[in-house]
Amino acid sequence: MMSSFRTWAAGAVETLDDPHTDSGTIVASLRDIARINRVFGGCRAAVGRLDEFLAVCPAGASLTLLDVGTGTGDIPRAAAARAGRRGLTLRLVGLERHPAAAREAARQGGLAAVIADGGRLPMRTRSVDLVLCSKLLHHLPGTAGTRLLSEMDRVARRGVVVADIHRSALAAAGIWLASFPLRFHPATRHDGVISVFRGFSPAELHGACAAAHVAATIRSHPGWCLTAAWRPAGAPA
């Protein structure tokens, strides 16, 4: 049964991946995703992994954080708040390929929004302290995903965190059922189920990182979240 749903999801088109999707639907769906991140723990999981890198930085330090596929920018803003409690400053850059998403992230405040392709990051090698990517990798199977991971490894100085979905039929049912009381946009309900079945097992996420030649530590988190984190070659301890 699971393999049948995976096959279906592989051939389905998510609303956010459709270039013809209107701006209003994109913004509504991204706002719903920010709520999913809060309710199901995706934000907490990603920020917790970023905090592993922040914990070794001296108070008063100022660092850059690039969030690839930032959506509304909810996770980097939460990371900046956590860093502030450590006496650190995070300067945030959110990257999006949707102009409507970039405008929404900028409107929410707290970060600079850039329109670009995650497979060709417009940053110099080792030019950003930390790189984050949440719930984007499952949209990019095969070589596209490998390029994204390699690019994030290239530009990062201190660390990279990838957060995505732990594939589960229960998770798919949960997001579908929760979408009604939470009043999600129909596009979010549609995309959410597809995304779950495009998610990863821990071994698959480890394999995706290995294909990009990065030695990531994989962790499972409550709310069907998976994270991978690693230090680029030559990163400070």
Side-chain angles (χ1 to χ4, degrees), residues 45-118:
V47 171
R49 294 307 304 266
L50 285 169
D51 203 41
E52 295 173 15
F53 299 107
L54 298 176
V56 300
C57 296
S62 178
L63 301 96
T64 48
L65 169 63
L66 169 67
D67 184 25
V68 181
T70 196
T72 65
D74 56 306
I75 297 180
R77 285 195 296 271
R82 174 81 68 92
R85 292 192 288 273
R86 288 188 175 276
L88 305 172
T89 299
L90 278 187
R91 291 174 285 122
L92 308 178
V93 178
L95 185 143
E96 265 293 344
R97 68 184 181 90
H98 290 292
R103 288 194 298 270
E104 177 64 14
R107 189 190 71 81
Q108 294 280 347
L111 56 75
V114 176
I115 300 173
D117 180 358

Side-chain angles (χ1 to χ4, degrees), residues 3 47 85 143 158 160 165 205 223 227 234:
S3 62
V47 171
R85 292 192 288 273
T143 57
R158 291 178 175 269
V160 181
I165 302 168
L205 184 55
T227 58

Side-chain angles (χ1 to χ4, degrees), residues 14-35:
E14 294 192 45
T15 306
L16 290 180
D17 291 333
D18 184 346
H20 303 294
T21 299
D22 64 274
S23 297
T25 299
I26 289 171
V27 170
S29 187
L30 291 175
R31 289 175 180 172
D32 286 343
I33 291 171
R35 294 169 68 197

Side-chain angles (χ1 to χ4, degrees), residues 132-144:
L132 169 67
C133 174
S134 177
K135 294 183 179 173
L136 176 61
L137 187 61
H138 71 267
H139 289 267
L140 302 169
T143 57

